[in-house]
């Protein structure tokens, strides 16, 4: 299989997120987050696992940055834990929390790597959840305040800022499906949460601009949706799913309007009471880049009848159902591996939204059944194939005219995979969770060699042209 070729100047990185790697949840004055609470609720997370220790990145970040330096990446994407900076989600910042991110950023920069900072990767301070969380408008104001605190502290050294990671998961998986914190099943409040997240993003963008912090973007996880059959009903189901998964975010952010089929999709759930005149202007503030996370396509069919089992029912029912993607390999997440759909998604978004800013692929990767050999090495050939095939698919999207500037592997380290706990491993580096040792897998060595040879190839081409 051919090694991917991306344009000269294309940036490569890896990504992590605070709750998934840091641990140290009771250290340095950090307050509790909704994920601490969720993990402690029996039956929520596999085997009752928590992020209490995770990869112990809070103490071992130096070792992790050394791994990044050896890997040869241009960028490192990490997230700041809001409850470390503001333990109750508002008010005076916690100096120890800010000092931790100071040290992390300085260490990353000293390794010659550019830090890319995500402000919110799902760890809302529990104190804010207790007064309504994302269901209430005030949380958007609190997020803007928190963003300004972080920007004032790190804006002199961090040049790229991501406001939110995958607000779809926060609002719908968290408030309608209940599989993420806060773990509720609510209809209208889930839609209100989606709106307040967008508003929070827009307000934070304003604060980051005012602090002159650098480039600003948001990370979305749009789905590439395919109908189960060519029937009219299944194609209509795809359009409803497109609104829930993609248009809710893309339309207000990049067209200045809410999706025009909302009434049909949400029915009476959307009472609009949470929208205030002027919100769309705030939400639609221009961005410097768009982060896209992509892993797998989704096949859906029309499902006019509600899920009979109330325990499995989502509170935002759009009368669709997921169908397995037959005939392809699946990762240990149960996700089908279909790299061409990565090209298709990017081209499709580019055509639907002509005003998108340049794109960074802020996550892509695969969870595999990694089994270390006697010497502790993980020969993760499936992960290498996944990454190579997706980078080739990305390169085809760029050839088709999509403006993509960078790519991050999810993830640098095996880490806490939310409700699945620790047995879904996405890392380029294996983490021994007992000893907290790091062991680079074959995919780490592949990515390192690929980055070095890609750079050398591009330099040679430029020299030839010169
Ligand atoms: O681990 C998550 C990450 O936190 C958000 N995007 C998807 C990843 C894999 O599920």
């Amino acid at each position: 299989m051919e090694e991917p070729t991306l344009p000269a100047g294309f940036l490569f990185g890896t990504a992590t997120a605070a709750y998934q790697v840091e641990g140290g949840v009771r250290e340095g004055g950090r307050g509790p987050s909704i994920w601490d609470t969720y993990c402690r609720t029996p039956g929520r997370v596999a085997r009752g696992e928590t992020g209490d220790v995770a990869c112990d990145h809070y103490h071992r970040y130096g070792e992790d940055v050394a791994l990044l330096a050896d890997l040869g990446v241009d960028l490192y994407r990490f997230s700041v834990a809001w409850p470390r900076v503001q333990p109750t989600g508002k008010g005076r910042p916690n100096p120890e929390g800010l000092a931790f991110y100071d040290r992390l950023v300085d260490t990353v920069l000293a390794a010659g790597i550019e830090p890319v900072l995500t402000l919110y990767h799902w760890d809302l301070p529990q104190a804010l959840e207790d007064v309504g969380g994302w269901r209430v408008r005030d949380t958007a104001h609190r997020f803007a305040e928190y963003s300004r605190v972080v920007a004032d502290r790190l804006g002199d050294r961090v040049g790229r800022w991501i406001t939110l990671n995958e607000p779809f998961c926060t609002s719908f998986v968290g408030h309608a499906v209940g599989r993420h914190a806060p773990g509720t099943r609510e209809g209208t409040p889930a839609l209100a949460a989606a709106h307040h997240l967008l508003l929070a993003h827009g307000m934070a963008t304003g604060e980051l601009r005012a602090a002159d912090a650098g480039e600003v973007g948001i990370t979305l996880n749009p789905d590439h949706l395919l109908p189960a059959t060519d029937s009219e009903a299944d194609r209509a189901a795809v359009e409803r799913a497109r609104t829930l998964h993609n248009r809710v975010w893309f339309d207000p952010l990049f067209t200045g309007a809410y999706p025009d089929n909302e009434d049909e999709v949400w029915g009476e759930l959307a009472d609009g009471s949470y929208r205030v005149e002027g919100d769309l202007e705030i939400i639609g503030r221009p961005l410097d880049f768009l982060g896209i996370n992509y892993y797998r396509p989704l096949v859906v069919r029309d499902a006019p009848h509600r899920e009979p089992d109330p325990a499995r029912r989502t509170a935002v029912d759009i009368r669709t159902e997921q169908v397995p993607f037959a005939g392809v390999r699946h990762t240990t997440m149960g996700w089908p591996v279909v790299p061409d759909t990565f090209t298709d998604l990017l081209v499709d978004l580019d055509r639907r939204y002509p005003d998108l800013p340049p794109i960074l692929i802020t996550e892509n990767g695969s969870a595999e059944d990694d089994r270390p050999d006697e010497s502790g090495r993980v020969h993760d050939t499936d992960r290498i194939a996944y990454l190579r095939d997706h980078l080739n698919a990305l390169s085809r999207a760029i050839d088709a005219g999509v403006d993509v500037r960078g790519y991050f592997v999810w993830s640098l380290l095996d880490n806490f995979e939310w409700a699945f706990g620790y047995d879904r491993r996405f890392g380029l580096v294996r983490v021994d969770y007992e000893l907290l040792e790091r062991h680079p897998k074959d995919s780490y060595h592949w990515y390192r060699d690929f980055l070095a040879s890609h750079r050398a190839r591009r330099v040679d081409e430029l020299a030839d042209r010169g």
Side-chain angles (χ1 to χ4, degrees):
M1 172 43 112
E2 220 176 291
E3 290 296 298
T5 300
L6 284 305
F10 191 85
L11 299 169
F12 294 96
T14 68
T16 63
Y19 192 73
Q20 294 179 272
V21 298
E22 281 182 5
V25 293
R26 286 181 210 84
E27 290 180 62
R30 177 187 178 279
S33 79
I34 53 173
W35 271 94
D36 297 292
T37 310
Y38 188 76
C39 291
R40 277 186 173 62
T41 311
R44 294 304 207 166
V45 175
R47 299 166 297 280
E49 289 168 351
T50 73
D52 285 6
V53 178
C55 308
D56 196 31
H57 177 77
Y58 184 66
H59 299 109
R60 294 168 200 251
Y61 65 91
E63 200 182 325
D64 296 336
V65 175
L67 283 164
L68 286 167
D70 189 42
L71 192 54
V73 287
D74 305 295
L75 311 170
Y76 173 51
R77 174 180 177 228
F78 68 99
S79 81
V80 169
W82 186 350
R84 263 193 210 292
V85 172
Q86 289 178 308
T88 59
K90 60 181 177 187
R92 186 132 41 109
N94 166 33
E96 274 192 82
L98 284 172
F100 169 67
Y101 294 108
D102 250 346
R103 292 196 295 277
L104 176 61
V105 165
D106 287 345
T107 310
V108 169
L109 286 168
I113 299 165
E114 186 197 320
V116 178
L117 188 156
T118 305
L119 283 160
Y120 186 74
H121 200 123
W122 307 351
D123 39 6
L124 185 74
Q126 180 62 42
L128 291 184
E129 173 65 18
D130 295 342
V131 291
W134 289 111
R135 303 164 195 83
V136 300
R137 196 174 174 89
D138 187 56
T139 300
H141 290 281
R142 299 286 66 77
F143 182 70
E145 178 189 273
Y146 151 70
S147 303
R148 184 59 187 258
V149 167
V150 183
D152 283 344
R153 182 62 171 253
L154 300 174
D156 57 339
R157 284 156 290 154
V158 173
R160 277 177 237 243
W161 295 74
I162 296 168
T163 54
L164 305 175
N165 179 73
E166 301 181 2
F168 169 83
C169 293
T170 306
S171 49
F172 295 115
V173 186
H175 298 78
V177 181
R179 209 167 11 89
H180 278 184
T184 54
R185 293 216 170 106
E186 310 165 83
T188 305
L191 292 168
H195 183 72
H196 295 139
L197 280 152
L198 281 167
L199 188 64
H201 153 79
M203 289 177 171
T205 300
E207 293 297 330
L208 293 166
R209 299 282 185 226
D212 204 12
E215 294 195 4
V216 182
I218 184 171
T219 282
L220 303 175
N221 55 330
D223 271 309
H224 188 65
L225 296 150
L226 299 163
T229 70
D230 204 29
S231 72
E232 205 175 305
D234 284 350
R235 281 186 281 118
V238 161
E239 290 317 313
R240 293 196 295 281
R242 194 186 312 288
T243 294
L244 174 74
H245 291 260
N246 302 356
R247 294 187 61 190
V248 164
W249 319 105
F250 279 78
D251 285 23
L253 284 164
F254 303 115
T255 72
Y258 298 111
D260 56 12
N261 63 346
E262 280 191 311
D263 291 347
E264 188 221 326
V265 178
W266 316 128
E268 64 202 23
L269 283 183
D271 63 11
S273 53
Y274 39 82
R275 290 179 183 162
V276 172
E277 203 171 330
D279 284 356
L280 277 175
E281 282 72 48
I282 298 172
I283 293 168
R285 286 179 173 149
L287 296 177
D288 302 301
F289 65 90
L290 165 65
I292 287 189
N293 294 351
Y294 189 72
Y295 292 89
R296 48 99 189 95
L298 214 58
V299 184
V300 297
R301 76 168 161 228
D302 184 41
H305 306 296
R306 281 179 78 95
E307 162 68 55
D309 176 0
R312 289 171 43 116
R313 213 177 271 162
T314 159
V316 177
D317 180 12
I318 56 161
R319 305 168 311 284
T320 64
E321 186 169 81
Q322 260 175 257
V323 178
F325 198 115
V328 297
R329 188 176 85 77
H330 286 66
T331 69
T332 59
M333 294 296 281
W335 293 347
V337 179
V338 198
D340 281 349
T341 59
F342 191 20
T343 316
D344 298 342
L345 170 85
L346 291 167
V347 170
D348 182 65
L349 288 173
D350 187 64
R351 305 297 180 261
R352 282 176 198 271
Y353 299 98
D355 294 331
L356 287 186
I359 293 170
L360 292 176
I361 304 304
T362 38
E363 288 180 27
N364 175 244
S366 70
E368 303 292 351
D369 185 16
D370 296 334
R371 291 172 193 243
D373 67 12
E374 319 74 62
S375 66
R377 264 308 268 264
V378 175
H379 305 294
D380 52 343
T381 46
D382 281 342
R383 181 175 290 107
I384 294 172
Y386 180 100
L387 296 173
R388 183 190 278 133
D389 291 349
H390 281 78
L391 278 163
N392 273 314
L394 175 57
S395 146
R396 290 194 292 278
I398 295 172
D399 290 346
V402 186
D403 185 4
V404 184
R405 308 273 177 96
Y407 171 92
F408 297 76
V409 175
W410 182 269
S411 176
L412 172 66
L413 304 170
D414 290 341
N415 59 48
F416 177 74
E417 179 55 28
W418 308 111
F420 293 98
Y422 290 98
D423 79 343
R424 300 295 201 277
R425 292 177 177 267
F426 276 90
L428 297 175
V429 175
R430 181 175 176 82
V431 175
D432 173 331
Y433 290 115
E434 269 170 38
L435 301 174
L436 293 167
E437 285 174 357
R438 277 80 166 133
H439 300 284
K441 303 176 193 175
D442 283 3
S443 56
Y444 173 95
H445 298 290
W446 172 79
Y447 196 42
R448 187 176 62 175
D449 294 347
F450 164 70
L451 295 183
S453 72
H454 190 269
R455 237 167 245 138
R457 266 189 285 149
R458 301 269 61 171
V459 169
D460 285 351
E461 278 166 24
L462 286 177
D464 285 351
R465 256 188 265 151

